Amino acid sequence: MTDTNCHKIRIQDKTVQLPGQRVLFEDPMPLDSGLSFGPIEIAYQTYGTLNADKTNAVLICHALTGDQFVSETHPITEKPGWWSLMVGPGKAIDTEKYFVICSSVIGGCMGSTGPVSVNPETGNPYGLNFPVITIGDMVRAQKRLIDHMGIKKLFCVIGGSMGGMQVLQWAVSYPEMVFAAIPIATAPRHTAQNIAFHEVGRQAIMADPDWCHGAYLEKNKVPRAGLSVARMTAHVTYLSEPALHRKFGRRLQDRSNLTYGFDADFQVESYLRHQGYTFVERFDANSYLYITRAMDYFDLAAEHKGRLANAFKDSPVRFCVVSFTSDWLFPTKANRDIVHALNAVAADVSFVEVESDAGHDAFLLDEPEFHETIDGFVKGCAERWFNGHGKGAIS
Ligand SMILES: CC(=O)SCCNC(=O)CCNC(=O)[C@H](O)C(C)(C)COP(=O)(O)OP(=O)(O)OC[C@H]1O[C@@H](n2cnc3c(N)ncnc32)[C@H](O)[C@@H]1OP(=O)(O)O
Ligand SMILES: N[C@@H](CCO)C(=O)O
């Protein structure tokens, strides 16, 4: 096992120096596919200070295209961290109280082992020789990191979308290691509609001649058009019809008349092109294939004889499930299914449906009711955890 402080990654045709830490686990890790895979490197970032008892750790699980840069300027986009509204001094996840950990998922492209990493056996990037991984595998790799840090029990595990899937997986796979779990805008399984949208994105990437059957890095190419179209399609699913109407309506982009051509006449077209274009600068096409596949394979009930409640039987974890009214990708119904399953086994669960017109990505935005919900739940859990009850549970 090796710990390192600085590291470089290759993203598209650039090499970027990443802040944060990484740890290399030499031993192979069993995967849900039945394969064994290693070595595995985990790139992660922390905020705040771990207390002497190691009882104040909060693990943040990121979504499909997120990464470990939760609450600091992103090293590539130079934008604020994706959850700087939620995480920081005095925020709902208060870094003056908690030690916040976020690692880049395996399969990703921000420093943890993924298809862009060099296969030690060939000296070339793994590309499509990288194994298909699952949400369970991502969480298994995170557990190695948490064990490595000597943390026996996480005060809280929290995340939205694919991050929420990881939260659920943590609670099911390692219930004794989680005091409180906050799955947000997520689902216990990927639906046919979710899989369908992912398949459109993957086909766009694979149809790009610069994808080169996954070996574009060796050929110094980037499947920009395919990855960009994949993001444009996906981005529509992260918004809502009212949000698109509010932002753009049918307004024209930098012109007063239709062009009777295929330029971006409408603001919404220009916006989507911008989203696709900027995404390509920060994300890898093969990672997109692998991570969307991991989400497609997610089905918590399948591992428990088709009954979701069985997954949570005897769970000691305190759950707060959150959904958003306008999220049609991971709708309230999917989140409520989690709550029903938890109630069926008398688990400790609360549920909040937040009123918002922002769609699925509402969990990334300034939504006061949402932030108050997380703040209140975390404070309530902290009272129980730090007033002896939780400490007792650790030893
Ligand atoms: C959850 C995780 O783990 S990490 C998540 C990964 N990160 C993301 O998904 C971030 C990318 N996603 C986004 O930015 C999402 O749109 C949101 C929902 C998070 C942000 O929403 P908002 O703050 O409302 O931003 P909005 O959707 O309006 O997009 C603003 C961008 O569109 C651009 N834009 C707005 N209108 C137009 C237009 N007519 N033409 C071209 N570009 C436009 C803006 O210039 C801005 O560009 P920039 O981001 O390069 O500065
Ligand atoms: N927009 C976020 C959420 C997707 O579920 C992302 O790209 O990761």
Side-chain angles (χ1 to χ4, degrees):
M1 210 178 310
T2 326
D3 281 293
T4 330
N5 267 327
C6 58
H7 48 133
K8 286 185 181 158
I9 57 156
R10 179 169 170 190
I11 187 84
Q12 314 311 12
D13 38 16
K14 298 185 288 286
T15 301
V16 181
Q17 181 85 32
L18 291 186
Q21 297 123 80
R22 65 178 171 166
V23 57
L24 176 70
F25 298 99
E26 300 277 2
D27 293 346
M29 188 181 83
L31 300 178
D32 284 340
S33 63
L35 295 175
S36 180
F37 181 68
I40 286 178
E41 197 154 32
I42 307 283
Y44 65 100
Q45 189 57 293
T46 65
Y47 308 91
T49 308
L50 187 60
N51 63 14
D53 294 340
K54 302 194 174 186
T55 55
N56 68 336
V58 173
L59 178 68
I60 296 189
C61 303
H62 68 73
L64 167 58
T65 74
D67 50 44
Q68 65 271 42
F69 303 111
V70 172
S71 188
E72 70 193 276
T73 303
H74 193 277
I76 296 173
T77 66
E78 297 179 356
K79 301 261 176 209
W82 59 268
W83 234 7
S84 35
L85 291 170
M86 178 70 80
V87 180
K91 303 271 169 75
I93 309 289
D94 189 345
T95 49
E96 281 167 350
K97 293 182 184 156
Y98 303 114
F99 177 63
V100 173
I101 308 158
C102 184
S103 63
S104 171
V105 294
I106 56 166
C109 52
M110 214 43 69
S112 292
T113 303
V116 293
S117 306
V118 172
N119 179 348
E121 283 175 16
T122 64
N124 288 322
Y126 279 105
L128 293 195
N129 292 321
F130 191 77
V132 168
I133 41 124
T134 64
I135 300 294
D137 296 328
M138 292 174 183
V139 166
R140 204 170 288 123
Q142 287 163 9
K143 180 177 180 290
R144 282 189 160 189
L145 174 66
I146 300 304
D147 288 344
H148 168 68
M149 291 175 159
I151 295 167
K152 296 213 163 31
K153 189 158 186 153
L154 294 158
F155 164 60
C156 180
V157 186
I158 180 170
S161 195
M162 186 183 85
M165 292 177 172
Q166 294 163 69
V167 173
L168 294 172
Q169 189 73 57
W170 261 99
V172 168
S173 298
Y174 310 108
E176 72 291 350
M177 286 184 69
V178 179
F179 184 74
I182 313 180
I184 303 158
T186 192
R189 69 188 68 80
H190 230 207
T191 63
Q193 179 178 261
N194 296 144
I195 296 168
F197 278 117
H198 276 176
E199 176 61 0
V200 172
R202 287 190 292 262
Q203 287 300 326
I205 290 168
M206 293 190 282
D208 186 330
D210 286 343
W211 179 62
C212 304
H213 299 279
Y216 49 90
L217 290 177
E218 291 97 306
K219 300 196 160 88
N220 284 320
K221 303 216 170 190
V222 179
R224 288 179 190 278
L227 183 58
S228 177
V229 170
R231 181 60 169 184
M232 289 166 75
T233 314
H235 194 75
V236 176
T237 72
Y238 304 150
L239 304 173
S240 70
E241 197 278 330
L244 282 174
H245 179 74
R246 170 168 51 76
K247 280 170 183 277
F248 309 111
R250 288 184 52 82
R251 288 188 292 282
L252 300 182
Q253 179 73 35
D254 301 331
R255 66 202 71 194
S256 41
N257 295 304
L258 299 175
T259 62
Y260 293 91
F262 297 102
D263 273 355
D265 277 5
F266 295 98
Q267 286 184 7
V268 68
E269 295 174 299
S270 166
Y271 168 76
L272 275 185
R273 289 180 189 193
H274 177 81
Q275 294 292 339
Y277 174 79
T278 49
F279 181 61
V280 169
E281 298 310 313
R282 72 172 177 92
F283 213 80
D284 173 68
N286 283 338
S287 278
Y288 197 85
L289 302 182
Y290 279 92
I291 298 179
T292 54
R293 205 60 177 150
M295 291 178 76
D296 291 351
Y297 280 8
F298 188 66
D299 183 357
L300 266 187
E303 296 164 26
H304 294 86
K305 299 184 180 160
R307 186 169 180 261
L308 183 59
N310 290 346
F312 300 114
K313 195 165 174 296
D314 300 323
S315 179
V317 180
R318 292 122 199 95
F319 291 86
C320 178
V321 179
V322 183
S323 72
F324 296 92
T325 49
S326 55
D327 183 349
W328 53 277
L329 192 64
F330 291 84
T332 288
K333 158 86 177 67
N335 292 275
R336 201 181 277 129
D337 286 349
I338 301 166
V339 179
H340 286 185
L342 287 163
N343 272 316
V345 291
D348 185 337
V349 56
S350 57
F351 176 48
V352 177
E353 184 188 33
V354 176
E355 183 79 36
S356 163
D357 84 347
H360 178 62
D361 266 353
F363 75 96
L364 298 169
L365 296 173
D366 186 10
E367 294 283 345
E369 187 191 341
F370 170 52
H371 290 94
E372 280 163 24
T373 298
I374 304 301
D375 187 54
F377 180 73
V378 168
K379 284 191 174 126
C381 286
E383 270 173 35
R384 289 204 268 174
W385 174 241
F386 292 106
N387 287 343
H389 178 87
K391 278 193 180 176
I394 244 186
S395 54

